[in-house]
């Protein structure tokens, strides 16, 4: 298959790229498109064959369900059963935006889309190209991240092309995405709404709308219950976001972290290995050797989220054997950043 890459910085619902992509979706094909979180790989959520094609293109395990993207609240009602009042409240507060809600599904959504579950994950993205595509095609779009399963999520059209060229019909290139981390997932089928995956919309923001919210204990770092617990979102159980080099997070006071990273880097270089370092604008000049890449600025935590996946891919091109990273556990988006970074590191942390 030849994959067409079409510019879609135009947000007009009638742009030719969006028209062409909408036609592909209507006839059961696959289109990668930008959202505000990461690029998604979309197909018709109500078409079991389209969903199967998504799993095949990504090499994704078939028990890992897809998120359904909609452009109007009425579409949520059309695919949910026993929709709780909290869904409307959260939609009013955060949709369109980076929040995915898990609700009970009805027969409109096939099990191929939900990985066999009786629940469905639904999100209304705010990216104008995503919204225009859903509206133009009038298709509810099942879309996981548009990467090969296990690789960092794509935050640029080039990342999508690297992983999926030749495997899907169209890539809509809307430039780099804004947030750079996947949506927050909240499960509304529990008595108390539960965060299954942290993201830009954090616990406090959700609690300000629906009262008490829990976090799936299996995804809380340092929690005693984490060991052996099974995350409720199937995707959180898989090793994810893995760069090719072995990534270790170094945690502690800044001076000590830099000292230890410099020392470990020197040791690996002496063994003839290549080493990458994830630094910030504040620390980049303090590393003495190795491939030092700046992830962002500590005074702007959004910049760190925005660049994380791109940095992990860049270390792959550089062919480093080891990667060391500072810690980014800032109060608001830090939990989401650390969740992804620690998964990429296979939870390898050195405390100094
Ligand atoms: P991705 O779009 O690649 O970020 O993956 C979607 C994420 O949503 C995965 O972690 C899935 O396991 C999760 N997810 C999708 N549907 C459900 C559901 N019905 N219940 C729980 N988690 C879900
Ligand atoms: Mg993904």
């Amino acid at each position: 298959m030849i994959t067409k890459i079409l510019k879609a910085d135009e947000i007009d619902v009638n742009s030719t790229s969006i028209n062409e992509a909408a036609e592909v979706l209507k006839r059961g094909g696959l289109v990668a498109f930008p959202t505000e979180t990461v690029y998604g790989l979309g197909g018709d959520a109500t078409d079991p064959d389209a969903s199967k094609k998504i799993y095949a293109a990504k090499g994704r395990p078939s028990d890992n369900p897809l998120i359904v993207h909609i452009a109007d609240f009425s579409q949520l009602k059309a695919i949910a059963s026993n929709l709780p009042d909290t869904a409307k409240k959260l939609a009013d507060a955060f949709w369109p935006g980076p929040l995915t809600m898990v609700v009970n599904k009805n027969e409109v959504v096939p099990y191929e889309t939900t990985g066999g579950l009786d629940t469905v994950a639904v999100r209304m993205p705010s990216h104008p190209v995503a919204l225009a595509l859903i509206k133009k095609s009038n298709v509810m779009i099942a879309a996981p991240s548009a990467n090969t399963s296990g690789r960092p999520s794509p935050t640029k059209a080039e990342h999508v092309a690297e992983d999926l060229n030749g495997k899907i019909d169209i890539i809509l290139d809307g430039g780099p995405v804004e947030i750079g981390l996947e949506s927050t997932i909240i499960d509304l089928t529990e008595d108390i709404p539960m965060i299954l995956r942290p993201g830009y919309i954090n616990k406090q923001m959700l609690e300000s709308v629906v009262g008490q919210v829990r976090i799936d204990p299996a995804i809380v770092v340092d929690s005693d219950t984490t060991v052996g617990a099974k995350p409720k979102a199937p995707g959180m159980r898989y090793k994810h976001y893995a760069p090719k080099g072995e990534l270790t997070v170094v945690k502690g006071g800044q001076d000590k972290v830099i000292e230890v990273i410099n020392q470990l880097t020197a040791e690996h270089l002496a063994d003839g290995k290549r080493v990458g370092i994830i630094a910030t604008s504040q620390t980049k000049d303090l590393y003495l050797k190795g491939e030092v890449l700046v992830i962002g600025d500590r005074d702007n935590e959004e910049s760190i989220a925005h660049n994380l996946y791109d940095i992990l891919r860049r270390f792959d091109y550089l062919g480093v054997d080891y990667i060391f990273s500072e810690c980014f556990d800032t109060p608001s988006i830090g939990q989401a950043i650390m969740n992804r970074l620690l998964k990429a590191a296979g939870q390898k942390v050195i405390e100094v």
Side-chain angles (χ1 to χ4, degrees):
M1 175 187 298
I2 292 177
T3 302
K4 269 194 181 176
I5 303 181
L6 304 175
K7 282 275 174 217
D9 14 34
E10 262 186 81
I11 54 168
D12 178 5
V13 191
N14 295 312
S15 89
T16 45
S17 345
I18 287 172
N19 276 337
E20 195 172 334
E23 289 307 316
V24 164
L25 286 175
K26 282 199 258 183
R27 49 157 223 269
L30 302 188
V31 174
F33 59 97
T35 81
E36 69 278 21
T37 58
V38 300
Y39 273 76
L41 173 59
D44 182 346
T46 63
D47 174 357
D49 291 329
S51 288
K52 283 188 203 152
K53 283 192 212 167
I54 294 176
Y55 286 101
K58 280 181 61 85
R60 181 176 177 107
S62 61
D63 63 349
N64 188 4
L66 311 177
I67 294 174
V68 179
H69 292 69
I70 61 172
D72 192 281
F73 191 77
S74 63
Q75 292 176 308
L76 174 62
K77 290 192 194 154
I79 59 176
S81 75
N82 302 321
L83 196 62
D85 299 338
T86 43
K88 180 79 174 80
K89 288 186 195 157
L90 289 169
D92 286 343
F94 301 114
W95 278 1
L99 179 69
T100 296
M101 301 185 211
V102 173
V103 298
N104 289 306
K105 79 171 198 75
N106 67 19
E107 68 293 342
V108 177
V109 188
Y111 284 114
E112 282 78 2
T113 298
T114 66
L117 298 177
D118 287 311
T119 55
V120 61
V122 187
R123 174 164 107 84
M124 190 190 296
S126 67
H127 196 294
V129 169
L131 284 174
L133 185 63
I134 301 164
K135 285 182 190 156
K136 187 73 203 184
S137 60
N138 199 24
V139 162
M140 290 183 271
I141 305 179
S145 50
N147 53 314
T148 298
S149 207
R151 295 224 61 210
S153 291
T155 56
K156 296 175 174 173
E158 293 85 330
H159 298 159
V160 181
E162 258 167 52
D163 286 9
L164 300 178
N165 204 4
K167 296 182 175 169
I168 62 177
D169 298 284
I170 289 181
I171 298 171
L172 288 178
D173 179 357
V177 301
E178 187 191 332
I179 297 176
L181 295 180
E182 304 84 347
S183 58
T184 306
I185 303 179
I186 187 163
D187 184 350
L188 301 183
T189 67
E190 299 268 341
D191 291 336
I192 299 169
M194 186 162 84
I195 295 172
L196 304 186
R197 176 171 75 184
Y200 180 82
I201 301 203
N202 62 33
K203 184 165 181 276
Q204 290 86 324
M205 291 157 84
L206 293 163
E207 286 187 327
S208 71
V209 177
V210 293
Q212 195 193 353
V213 169
R214 299 198 306 143
I215 300 184
D216 183 351
I219 65 162
V220 179
V221 184
D222 295 337
S223 140
D224 292 341
T225 49
T226 307
V227 183
K230 201 167 152 196
K232 193 168 173 194
M236 302 292 278
R237 292 171 205 154
Y238 295 102
K239 182 167 188 263
H240 236 190
Y241 320 124
K244 291 173 189 154
E246 187 183 314
L247 171 63
T248 303
V249 177
V250 184
K251 190 174 174 182
Q254 183 175 298
D255 293 348
K256 193 70 192 163
V257 165
I258 291 165
E259 184 191 320
V260 167
I261 291 180
N262 275 330
Q263 186 195 332
L264 291 168
T265 301
E267 285 169 22
H268 287 307
L269 291 176
D271 283 346
K273 301 291 184 197
R274 304 192 64 187
V275 180
I277 296 172
I278 300 183
T280 57
S281 355
Q282 281 79 5
T283 59
K284 66 178 189 327
D285 295 330
L286 303 171
Y287 293 106
L288 308 172
K289 293 215 172 79
E291 303 279 357
V292 180
L293 296 185
V294 175
I295 191 170
D297 191 303
R298 284 212 177 260
D299 296 330
N300 175 2
E301 53 180 308
E302 264 113 19
S303 67
I304 294 171
H306 179 87
N307 293 322
L308 174 62
Y309 290 138
D310 188 49
I311 289 256
L312 293 179
R313 283 184 184 253
R314 279 166 61 195
F315 280 124
D316 286 353
Y317 317 143
L318 289 169
V320 298
D321 302 295
Y322 294 93
I323 306 167
F324 295 104
S325 177
E326 300 173 14
C327 223
F328 307 101
D329 40 9
T330 51
S332 68
I333 200 174
Q335 190 178 29
I337 296 170
M338 287 313 290
N339 171 268
R340 309 311 194 271
L341 186 64
L342 288 170
K343 283 188 91 172
Q347 311 294 329
K348 251 189 317 317
V349 181
I350 300 178
E351 301 221 23
V352 297

